[in-house]
């Protein structure tokens, strides 16, 4: 009788190292972002990388749009607290030079490099440097053998192109690949990554909805698509692109990893929607608690609930929390009451208890 492999898709992928960060092979799903600074300005770029590292970013990508961006690249790689991925389109010589100047990985779209000879030169240089390559595929960088075929859907073109690129890299003796096939929409993103996971189960996947939009819309799209895939065990590293400060991307990525139960970096806030039983300013309290939790590093769950009748019970899974009443609040932990406090002191009392128990 054949044995069923119960491992998740992300446990079956080949593990690569991006600097010190492992991607694939069941490694924790890593959080990436991309600098918005000019890479030719190492001071500004390093300042943003440090800010992103503080927020929990684990891999950072910088754009190399031309030779000028390479000038500061060596300094950025040498001083960065995070592994730096060089993002290169069109010009393979930039990719080769980025390998020589300390890139921890490359991101290239073979479909826009121009010829296989040029792609091979990049593959060989990355191989010599011992760094992985993220192969990107999107509507603008399909394999020409698939791009014009009218019998294929867009998803089939993406998957066909990705499969053909991976085969080429393997034929060249290069296995340290991460694959990303990007689309704007939620259904397409889910469909294409499911197909890639099925067709190329050993290749780690970098997932995210590309050009997802501003903070609100982009968060919803990424949560829907990336959340669904992560829950299916698909996806080895994530970048949730938002038209916003990249720190927000990292915050949203961690909130998503926490929400799907994969990784928790910071406290998670649980709060009820309120109803007619609520007798205190829950929205104000929740905002204040959220603000003050940004300074807490323990991965605890904190609840703020609208009433003492149902609050502690509804938030039984929380490590600690407050349930408000008329002028008073109940401080509780794991569903059990600790003590009653005055409403005016409730948030201070909560944080004093968090400090006592979890720091
Ligand atoms: S905790 Fe209380 S106030 Fe909040 S939704 Fe439940 S019953 Fe309503």
């Amino acid at each position: 009788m054949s044995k069923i492999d119960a491992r998740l898709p992300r446990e079956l992928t080949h593990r690569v190292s991006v600097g010190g960060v492992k991607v694939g092979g069941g490694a924790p799903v890593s959080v990436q972002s991309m600098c918005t600074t000019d890479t030719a300005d190492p001071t500004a770029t390093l300042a943003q990388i440090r800010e992103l590292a503080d927020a929990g970013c684990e891999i950072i990508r910088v754009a190399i749009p031309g030779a000028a961006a390479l000038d500061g690249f060596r300094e950025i790689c040498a001083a960065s607290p995070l592994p730096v991925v060089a993002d290169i389109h069109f010009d393979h010589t930039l990719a080769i030079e980025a390998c020589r100047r300390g890139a921890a990985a490359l991101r290239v779209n073979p479909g826009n490099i121009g010829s296989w000879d040029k792609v091979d030169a990049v593959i060989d240089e990355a191989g010599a440097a011992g760094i992985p390559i993220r192969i990107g595929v999107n509507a603008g960088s399909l394999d020409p053998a698939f791009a014009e075929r009218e019998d294929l859907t867009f998803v089939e073109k993406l998957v066909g192109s990705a499969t053909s690129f991976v085969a080429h890299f393997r034929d060249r003796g290069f296995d340290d690949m991460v694959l990303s096939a990007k689309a704007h929409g939620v259904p397409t993103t889910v469909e294409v990554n499911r197909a890639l996971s099925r067709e190329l189960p050993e290749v780690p996947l970098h997932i995210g909805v590309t050009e997802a939009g501003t903070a609100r819309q982009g968060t919803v799209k990424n949560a829907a698509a990336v959340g669904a895939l992560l829950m299916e065990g698909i996806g080895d590293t994530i970048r949730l692109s938002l038209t916003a400060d990249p720190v927000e991307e990292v915050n949203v990525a961690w909130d998503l990893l926490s929400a799907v139960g994969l990784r928790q970096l910071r406290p998670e806030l649980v709060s009820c929607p309120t109803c007619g039983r609520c007798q205190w300013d829950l929205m104000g309290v929740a905002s204040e608690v959220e603000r003050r939790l940004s300074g807490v590093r323990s991965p605890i769950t904190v609840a703020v609930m609208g009433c003492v009748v149902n609050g502690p019970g509804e938030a039984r899974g929380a490590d600690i929390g407050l349930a408000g009443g008329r002028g008073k609040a109940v401080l509780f932990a794991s569903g059990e009451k600790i003590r009653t406090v005055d409403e005016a002191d409730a948030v201070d009392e909560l944080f004093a208890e968090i400090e006592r128990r979890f720091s």
Side-chain angles (χ1 to χ4, degrees):
M1 197 164 58
S2 68
K3 226 171 129 189
I4 295 170
D5 192 334
R7 287 177 295 172
L8 295 169
R10 77 172 63 88
E11 294 172 322
L12 302 174
T13 54
H14 169 67
R15 181 173 291 186
V16 305
S17 294
V18 181
V21 179
K22 308 290 182 208
V23 175
V29 175
S30 48
V31 171
Q32 309 204 14
S33 188
M34 187 164 183
C35 282
T36 54
T37 51
D38 181 353
T39 312
D41 181 347
T43 305
T45 301
L46 282 165
Q48 189 172 53
I49 292 174
R50 290 189 187 102
E51 193 187 357
L52 287 162
D54 277 349
C57 184
E58 295 171 306
I59 297 170
I60 188 67
R61 186 157 46 109
V62 300
I64 310 282
L70 284 169
D71 289 343
F73 187 67
R74 192 189 299 277
E75 182 184 339
I76 292 169
C77 293
S80 171
L82 302 178
V84 181
V85 181
D87 184 276
I88 288 135
H89 292 283
F90 310 117
D91 186 345
H92 75 294
T93 64
L94 299 174
I96 289 170
E97 202 46 46
C99 291
R100 296 174 181 164
R101 296 189 188 199
L106 297 179
R107 180 274 174 102
V108 294
N109 290 13
N112 68 26
I113 291 293
S115 73
W116 281 118
D117 284 355
K118 293 175 180 173
V119 173
D120 287 346
V122 174
I123 294 173
D124 294 349
E125 195 67 35
I131 63 173
I133 297 178
R134 175 182 143 203
I135 299 173
V137 193
N138 58 25
S141 57
L142 296 167
D143 182 334
F146 294 89
E148 304 303 328
R149 287 196 32 197
E150 290 180 359
D151 58 320
L152 298 179
T153 64
F154 177 54
V155 167
E156 287 168 336
K157 289 179 184 181
L158 284 173
V159 174
S161 298
T163 306
S164 136
F165 294 149
V166 165
H168 183 93
F169 277 58
R170 284 202 180 118
D171 286 348
R172 193 81 187 166
F174 192 90
D175 270 320
D176 286 345
M177 298 169 267
V178 175
L179 197 52
S180 64
K182 294 294 191 76
H184 308 279
V186 172
T188 310
T189 300
V190 171
E191 194 185 342
V192 74
N193 282 288
R194 279 180 181 154
L196 287 174
S197 174
R198 206 168 45 239
E199 301 294 324
L200 298 163
E202 64 293 342
V203 183
L205 294 178
H206 167 121
I207 59 173
V209 179
T210 196
E211 294 145 20
T214 50
R216 176 169 150 179
Q217 182 177 287
T219 298
V220 170
K221 284 186 182 176
N222 273 296
V226 179
L229 289 164
L230 290 174
M231 300 272 293
E232 293 175 20
I234 297 170
D236 301 271
T237 183
I238 61 175
R239 190 263 171 124
L240 308 188
S241 66
L242 300 177
T243 310
D245 185 329
V247 168
E248 189 59 17
E249 293 187 354
V250 174
N251 289 337
V252 170
W254 277 105
D255 285 349
L256 181 58
L257 288 174
S258 172
V260 297
L262 278 179
R263 297 181 74 189
Q264 196 176 347
L265 179 72
R266 290 184 287 257
E268 180 175 342
L269 177 63
V270 171
S271 57
C272 80
T274 84
C275 68
R277 294 181 192 84
C278 182
Q279 293 185 324
W280 72 328
D281 174 24
L282 184 69
M283 288 184 202
V285 169
S287 300
E288 174 67 4
V289 169
E290 183 176 48
R291 189 186 66 75
R292 289 176 61 170
L293 280 175
S294 65
V296 175
R297 287 294 177 200
S298 317
I300 53 173
T301 302
V302 179
V304 285
M305 308 297 282
C307 74
V308 291
V309 181
N310 292 334
E314 285 184 21
R316 188 164 282 121
D319 294 299
I320 192 161
L322 287 169
R326 201 188 297 271
K328 299 275 182 193
V330 169
L331 185 59
F332 62 90
S334 305
E336 300 297 327
K337 176 178 167 180
I338 303 173
R339 62 181 178 277
T340 301
V341 296
D342 285 339
E343 181 178 340
D345 304 329
V347 176
D348 287 343
E349 292 270 356
L350 172 71
F351 278 87
E353 198 65 33
I354 289 172
E355 176 81 16
R356 237 186 323 276
R357 289 174 179 243
F358 303 108
S359 62

